[in-house]
Amino acid sequence: MLLIVLSGLITSCLLIPFGRFFRSKWSLGLAVLPIILFSYFAAQIPYISQGNTIRESVEWVPSLSINFDFSLDGLSLLFSLLITGIGSIIFIYASSYLKGHIYQDRFLAYLCLFMSAMLGVVLSDNILLLFVFWELTSISSFFLIGFNNENVESRKSAIRALSVTGLGGFALLAGLILTSQVAGTYSITQLTVSSDLITNHAYYPIIIALVFIGAFTKSAQFPFHFWLPGAMKAPTPVSAYLHSATMVKAGIFLLARFTPVLGGTEAWSWTLMAVGGFTMIYSAFHSLFRTDLKGVLAYSTISALGILTFLIGLGTEEALVAACTFILVHALYKATLFLVTGIIDHETGTRELTQLSGLRKVLAPVFFAGLLAALSSAGLPLSLGFVGKDLIYEATLHADEQFALYLTIAAIVTNMSLVAAGFMAGIKPFTGNLNPAFRDVHLPHVTMWVPPLILAVAAFIFGCFPGIVGGYMVNSVISTMTGTSVVTDFKIWHGFNLVLLLSIGTLLAGTILYLANKPSERKLQLLERFQVWSPQTVFSKLSATFMRLSELYTNFFHNGFLRSYLFKIIIFAEALLIYELLIGGPIYIDYDQLSPITFYEAINVLILIGALVLTVTTSSRLTAVVGTSVVGYAICLMFVFYSAPDLAITQFTIDTLTVVLFVFVLFNLPSFLNFSTNNRATVVRDACVAISFGAILSLIAIKVLQVPTKIEISDFYGKFAYELGKGKNVVNVILVDFRGVDTMFEIVVLSIAALGVYSLLKLRLKASEKE
């Protein structure tokens, strides 16, 4: 499974530098990757449906219990099939949708990266590994949402989505770390065994609050829902992929995965039911006022995610069965509607419902796909949507008697609105008289209109044979979530009962609502009057406040003067060191520990002081450079006197290189500033700070002599430097072996700095040439 996850990452890395060489010929061929992955997961269905689990572990950082642990069970298989199956459709669709786009290769690279990140999320059995992939989905979605980076709104939407989901990711990381500390393991499988320990721990309320924030931000639950409608600025293939099978479902997956770990308590259930219930009604209502097809689909998606959150919170076996089924239902019809919307936008140049009509006459196959998807979303008999709606009503009717009626009413109101929204997106653009402006519209390439047709037909095939979904998918998912063997009974016909009556009533009421509802700009503007109290407005104001504080901070601490940076750093260091001296007890000098001062040391110190005075008083830059080099060489001699030749050599090398570099750039630097003649107060201030810093460090050095010497660490490095590192120079072995990762990143930082300097110099040279 590690290879499966890496396949998309490797493809993405290859596409970015080399994709431009074959974007026109091989863009469609990239669909082979998700098709192969889908075929692999589909082949595992018989084995996983019997309650089995496939596990794989590859060591990464075993000393910290951080490994590439993967698990393929019923829940992860369902999501993996959706990610790769709908991913295959999206890749085929995008090959025509973005044909000729200058950055098509880059788009497909981001799509591969996103697919791999989502597979990593659903397959991970280590919570830290899960978090790594979780954040990778946020980063890759940022690239996809902001793909049209020349558009200001696209950039804003991408930043907003990354900000909200990124903040949720920080909360999730904290919650996962707390969970692992309580249970003593990073393994999700082992966390399930420790469920009672976690739910009865004092940290449990904090843990679920942090996990909820992570899940709600990713799955756009109120009040974090506002980023998702803005994400509609992304190209349609992105919208279809993110909002049907992948990113927004990641939060739902997280809640489902951690239900056996953190679920089963009132705090878990009531929070999810309250947030999910409010989100599903609120967003379904909003979807009726939208005039942009993507806006309708965005708010109906948020509502569907609210339904899933609500059902997971309800937590009964029937509710979990309904949630698992509805995940597949929603993925099929919502991906279809998004792809249909993309075709309409691609061919007509607009998504406005107030302008679209009669397109069935020029886009007949697309109309058929949209019609099937709309009917599945409405719950028409023989569609999988009908099965899903029945299961939702069964779950609410069989809930606690005190609340069953209210929960069922909430579900009915939501589903009525979603029926109307589905008809608005899938039927309305195709009915009525053809707008004269669209008479020349024609069918796009076959690779654009066949994919949505496949998904739409699949919804009805599964609806006619619901036992396939129940027997091969839902049973294993519920077994994973509950830990018990479950057998569902999915049938087309269960006879006349209350559930059937509610389903038919919802379909009729939703149809009437669709016919009565006339979305318009006036109604939308009326709704937007309440925008001042919306979560998006609150978030925008908080962001503006944060930006103002950041500006004040930057102007104070980063004013562009190196002397200011050094002054503030030294002041801060002095404060910390003084605090350490104050809490460290009295200081006394044991003269027996001090070696006598030799003649050579005294002469060396006098030279050092003379060079120092010369450096701070001279008006010549060259003299100042020579003075600092003399100070450095004097320190080198100190190291030699006290038997540290390796440090002396290092110091000598650095000082020599610094002097050489200074001399090279000497004549290109701005004029020399001598504050001794320009600003006496500044000189006095800096002298006080410098003398204080030297005095504090001297006291710290004396304090160190009072601390008992511990040689355990020295013994460890001395013993194992040769045995483990195969080196006789202990310092070198520490740098390249024991602290190899630190050294590597130090080199990376220096390399990045060097590239930055080179880039700035190159830009300056270009500017000079233009002048």
Side-chain angles (χ1 to χ4, degrees):
M1 281 180 277
L2 177 60
L3 182 60
I4 290 174
V5 175
L6 290 178
S7 61
L9 298 177
I10 295 171
T11 303
S12 176
C13 293
L14 292 175
L15 276 174
I16 291 175
F18 303 117
R20 64 183 182 276
F21 297 117
F22 55 84
R23 66 165 67 100
S24 60
K25 296 181 179 180
W26 298 101
S27 58
L28 180 60
L30 284 174
V32 172
L33 175 63
I35 290 173
I36 291 173
L37 297 180
F38 176 77
S39 301
Y40 168 79
F41 289 117
Q44 308 307 316
I45 292 176
Y47 181 75
I48 300 297
S49 64
Q50 297 175 7
N52 299 311
T53 300
I54 300 174
R55 302 189 189 280
E56 181 181 311
S57 180
V58 178
E59 287 190 348
W60 185 13
V61 190
S63 58
L64 298 178
S65 299
I66 304 175
N67 301 311
F68 289 103
D69 295 329
F70 296 102
S71 173
L72 182 63
D73 53 23
L75 181 62
S76 55
L77 179 62
L78 171 62
F79 279 88
S80 297
L81 287 169
L82 292 178
I83 293 165
T84 55
I86 294 182
S88 303
I89 295 292
I90 297 300
F91 271 85
I92 295 172
Y93 182 90
S95 67
S96 291
Y97 187 88
L98 291 171
K99 186 176 182 179
H101 196 289
I102 187 173
Y103 294 127
Q104 185 182 23
D105 53 324
R106 186 181 299 177
F107 176 84
L108 295 174
Y110 296 155
L111 213 56
C112 285
L113 178 64
F114 185 78
M115 179 183 69
S116 294
M118 276 303 304
L119 286 174
V121 168
V122 302
L123 293 173
S124 294
D125 193 37
N126 183 292
I127 57 175
L128 295 181
L129 184 64
L130 183 149
F131 175 75
V132 170
F133 287 116
W134 181 277
E135 288 302 288
L136 191 56
T137 62
S138 296
I139 295 170
S140 54
S141 68
F142 168 78
F143 293 139
L144 289 169
I145 295 171
F147 178 70
N148 296 319
N149 50 49
E150 295 180 356
N151 185 299
V152 175
E153 291 301 318
S154 292
R155 296 199 300 269
K156 286 183 178 180
S157 298
I159 292 173
R160 186 184 301 121
L162 182 64
S163 300
V164 175
T165 57
L167 288 173
F170 279 122
L172 176 63
L173 176 61
L176 294 178
I177 293 297
L178 274 179
T179 305
S180 67
Q181 293 302 307
V182 171
T185 179
Y186 292 120
S187 169
I188 298 176
T189 301
Q190 295 177 21
L191 287 176
T192 304
V193 179
S194 305
S195 176
D196 291 337
L197 174 63
I198 299 171
T199 54
N200 292 317
H201 198 275
Y203 287 158
Y204 176 70
I206 301 175
I207 289 172
I208 62 170
L210 294 170
V211 171
F212 283 158
I213 292 173
F216 292 164
T217 51
K218 188 73 84 172
S219 286
Q221 296 299 285
F222 186 91
F224 307 109
H225 65 286
F226 55 86
W227 70 263
L228 195 148
M232 294 299 115
K233 300 298 180 183
T236 299
V238 176
S239 301
Y241 201 29
L242 264 67
H243 304 139
S244 62
T246 52
M247 182 172 176
V248 293
K249 292 278 177 55
I252 301 301
F253 170 82
L254 183 75
L255 295 174
R257 176 61 82 196
F258 279 84
T259 291
V261 179
L262 303 174
T265 66
E266 290 188 358
W268 175 272
S269 299
W270 282 108
T271 302
L272 291 181
M273 284 197 294
V275 173
F278 183 82
T279 301
M280 70 185 191
I281 297 174
Y282 172 88
S283 302
F285 173 76
H286 269 263
S287 67
L288 300 176
F289 289 84
R290 304 293 149 177
T291 59
D292 185 312
L293 280 172
K294 275 194 172 183
V296 174
L297 295 175
Y299 277 97
S300 62
T301 296
I302 298 172
S303 181
L305 295 170
I307 293 174
L308 290 170
T309 303
F310 168 81
L311 291 172
I312 293 174
L314 194 55
T316 62
E317 184 179 302
E318 291 172 323
L320 296 179
V321 169
C324 294
T325 306
F326 190 65
I327 287 172
L328 179 59
V329 171
H330 178 259
L332 291 175
Y333 79 72
K334 189 55 61 72
T336 302
L337 291 176
F338 266 114
L339 297 181
V340 167
T341 296
I343 294 173
I344 293 173
D345 188 21
H346 189 271
E347 299 303 318
T348 66
T350 183
R351 300 192 303 263
E352 283 294 319
L353 283 169
T354 54
Q355 301 177 26
L356 295 169
S357 62
L359 292 178
R360 70 187 184 283
K361 297 179 181 179
V362 290
L363 299 173
V366 181
F367 166 58
F368 185 61
L371 176 65
L372 292 181
L375 293 177
S376 180
S377 72
L380 186 75
L382 298 183
S383 70
L384 190 59
F386 173 72
V387 177
K389 204 171 294 308
D390 275 7
L391 292 172
I392 292 173
Y393 288 141
E394 281 186 10
T396 56
L397 288 171
H398 296 160
D400 191 312
E401 293 182 359
Q402 291 181 299
F403 309 104
L405 176 61
Y406 304 107
L407 298 180
T408 303
I409 291 174
I412 291 172
V413 171
T414 301
N415 283 326
M416 282 172 48
S417 301
L418 290 182
V419 169
F423 286 172
M424 288 168 61
I427 296 178
K428 186 173 178 56
F430 300 97
T431 56
N433 296 321
L434 179 65
N435 188 327
F438 305 140
R439 286 178 179 172
D440 296 331
V441 169
H442 57 81
L443 271 178
H445 191 269
V446 66
T447 52
M448 279 187 69
W449 61 263
V450 168
L453 199 58
I454 293 173
L455 293 175
V457 171
F460 276 83
I461 292 175
F462 286 134
C464 292
F465 303 98
I468 297 175
V469 176
Y472 286 98
M473 294 302 307
V474 176
N475 288 347
S476 58
V477 175
I478 303 305
S479 297
T480 300
M481 295 177 66
T482 62
T484 59
S485 179
V486 176
V487 178
T488 57
D489 184 24
F490 283 11
K491 296 180 180 178
I492 299 177
W493 179 251
H494 286 275
F496 287 101
N497 51 33
L498 180 58
V499 171
L500 178 63
L501 182 62
L502 290 176
S503 295
I504 295 175
T506 301
L507 178 59
L508 294 176
T511 304
I512 295 171
L513 180 61
Y514 160 70
L515 296 173
N517 180 46
K518 304 296 181 184
S520 64
E521 288 293 335
R522 187 180 63 83
K523 289 183 179 180
L524 186 59
Q525 291 172 1
L526 180 65
L527 183 65
E528 289 180 348
R529 290 181 182 178
F530 300 95
Q531 187 73 8
V532 67
W533 296 292
S534 69
Q536 181 175 345
T537 302
V538 174
F539 181 84
S540 298
K541 289 181 178 179
L542 289 175
S543 298
T545 302
F546 180 78
M547 290 297 292
R548 286 195 294 271
L549 293 175
S550 300
E551 186 176 355
L552 291 173
Y553 169 88
T554 302
N555 291 338
F556 179 75
F557 286 103
H558 304 281
N559 55 12
F561 294 101
L562 181 60
R563 59 181 179 271
S564 175
Y565 297 158
L566 291 174
F567 176 79
K568 290 161 186 171
I569 291 170
I570 292 173
I571 287 291
F572 182 74
E574 286 181 353
L576 290 180
L577 294 173
I578 289 172
Y579 174 76
E580 176 62 28
L581 289 173
L582 290 175
I583 66 172
I587 300 174
Y588 59 89
I589 301 176
D590 184 359
Y591 292 99
D592 294 335
Q593 289 184 304
L594 302 179
S595 60
I597 299 175
T598 66
F599 172 76
Y600 303 104
E601 292 171 356
I603 295 298
N604 188 56
V605 170
L606 290 175
I607 294 173
L608 187 149
I609 294 173
L612 190 61
V613 172
L614 178 66
T615 301
V616 299
T617 58
T618 185
S619 59
S620 167
R621 177 177 282 117
L622 183 59
T623 304
V625 171
V626 173
T628 54
S629 67
V630 172
V631 171
Y633 294 143
I635 294 174
C636 289
L637 288 176
M638 287 287 189
F639 291 143
V640 172
F641 293 153
Y642 288 95
S643 303
D646 51 344
L647 292 178
I649 292 172
T650 304
Q651 180 78 20
F652 178 82
T653 305
I654 295 298
D655 280 327
T656 302
L657 288 174
T658 304
V659 171
V660 171
L661 289 173
F662 264 121
V663 172
F664 275 145
V665 300
L666 200 60
F667 297 103
N668 292 320
L669 293 176
S671 58
F672 188 74
L673 296 178
N674 190 337
F675 284 99
S676 62
T677 58
N678 296 338
N679 193 329
R680 184 67 61 179
T682 302
V683 173
V684 172
R685 181 201 67 183
D686 291 347
C688 291
V689 171
I691 294 170
S692 300
F693 191 56
I696 293 169
L697 287 179
S698 299
L699 292 173
I700 289 289
I702 295 171
K703 183 73 174 177
V704 169
L705 297 176
Q706 300 175 205
V707 179
T709 303
K710 295 183 178 180
I711 61 172
E712 289 86 351
I713 296 177
S714 300
D715 290 341
F716 172 83
Y717 285 125
K719 178 181 179 181
F720 292 107
Y722 183 75
E723 292 183 10
L724 299 179
K726 308 303 180 185
K728 296 181 179 180
N729 188 314
V730 178
V731 175
N732 288 349
V733 173
I734 290 174
L735 289 175
V736 301
D737 284 288
F738 293 108
R739 294 183 64 250
V741 176
D742 292 342
T743 304
M744 180 186 71
F745 280 106
E746 288 170 3
I747 295 171
V748 170
V749 170
L750 290 174
S751 301
I752 293 172
L755 288 173
V757 171
Y758 171 76
S759 301
L760 292 173
L761 292 174
K762 192 174 181 180
L763 288 173
R764 184 167 182 175
L765 289 173
K766 285 184 177 180
S768 301
E769 291 174 0
K770 290 181 179 179
E771 293 174 359

